[in-house]
Amino acid sequence: MDSLNILFFLLLITSSIFYPSIGVLQEVQSAICSTTQNATFCKNIFKSDSRTDNADLKKLLWISIGLTQKQANHNLKIFTKLFLKEIEPVLEEAYYGCMHDYHTIELDLVIARKISRRQNYTESSKLLDRSLKLAFHCSGGVYKRSIAIDKIESDMFLTTETANGVNKYIISHVTNVTLSGK
């Protein structure tokens, strides 16, 4: 890349950060989604919320963590219902474990969203990573599988991964832009 292309790229990134009405460019969203396991799912997450159209990177992160919170809340409700209906002790214990995991995930996401507003992206990323590990922990404990359980778990993995993709993009690109400007 020659210096003119680098300058143009830095201007695009800077404009998406400091001028929210411009919004995050499709190229940036594509770059974020290319780091996830399912780029189509990631792009659909952004399309699912009209606020992403005009969001800068920081707001995109805030929105994507919010969508992850929504998925975690949905999963917690499902596992709570399954726990209350289950009579097999081993599955009852697994669903209870998932309830505990998703309760922790919800708390972590509240904190991640709050500290991302304070631009503490490294800590936010750690909480998103931990949320993903807890979702996997829940998944590993439920031996009786169904299409519905597989779907909500997959949606949780991919939604969390998308939010963390935005977070890590900010860490790697915005931090570099800020440091190179000093």
Side-chain angles (χ1 to χ4, degrees):
M1 241 184 181
D2 64 341
S3 60
L4 186 58
N5 285 340
I6 292 172
L7 178 63
F8 180 69
F9 179 73
L10 291 176
L11 286 172
L12 287 175
I13 296 295
T14 305
S15 68
S16 69
I17 296 166
F18 296 110
Y19 300 103
S21 61
I22 294 172
V24 175
L25 300 172
Q26 290 296 331
E27 294 82 15
V28 173
Q29 287 186 13
S30 292
I32 291 165
C33 290
S34 72
T35 65
T36 66
Q37 291 181 35
N38 188 331
T40 302
F41 186 93
C42 174
K43 289 175 185 176
N44 287 337
I45 288 173
F46 294 142
K47 290 178 188 173
S48 74
D49 192 312
S50 62
R51 296 174 298 168
T52 62
D53 294 340
N54 295 319
D56 63 4
L57 279 170
K58 294 172 187 176
K59 187 169 183 177
L60 186 65
L61 175 59
W62 191 77
I63 292 167
S64 62
I65 293 174
L67 293 170
T68 306
Q69 285 176 295
K70 184 177 177 181
Q71 183 65 48
N73 182 267
H74 175 71
N75 289 18
L76 177 60
K77 286 178 183 176
I78 297 289
F79 284 115
T80 300
K81 286 179 185 176
L82 290 170
F83 170 76
L84 293 173
K85 290 166 61 173
E86 189 55 54
I87 57 171
E88 187 180 328
V90 175
L91 268 177
E92 185 180 59
E93 186 177 327
Y95 294 147
Y96 179 79
C98 287
M99 289 168 43
H100 183 272
D101 289 341
Y102 275 96
H103 179 69
T104 304
I105 289 169
E106 282 190 321
L107 293 173
D108 282 353
L109 293 172
V110 166
I111 296 167
R113 200 172 192 204
K114 188 167 186 75
I115 65 176
S116 72
R117 283 207 169 241
R118 295 185 183 141
Q119 300 179 14
N120 191 342
Y121 302 113
T122 302
E123 289 304 312
S124 179
S125 186
K126 288 177 186 176
L127 290 166
L128 288 164
D129 284 339
R130 186 167 89 161
S131 294
L132 188 57
K133 286 177 187 171
L134 286 167
F136 276 114
H137 180 261
C138 166
S139 179
V142 178
Y143 72 88
K144 187 176 179 183
R145 307 306 299 172
S146 72
I147 293 171
I149 289 176
D150 289 346
K151 170 89 172 97
I152 65 168
E153 288 178 340
S154 175
D155 287 354
M156 185 66 200
F157 303 150
L158 296 171
T159 306
T160 306
E161 187 179 51
T162 298
N164 211 9
V166 177
N167 197 46
K168 289 178 178 179
Y169 187 90
I170 292 171
I171 291 170
S172 66
H173 290 81
V174 176
T175 304
N176 291 339
V177 171
T178 304
L179 291 176
S180 66
K182 286 186 178 179

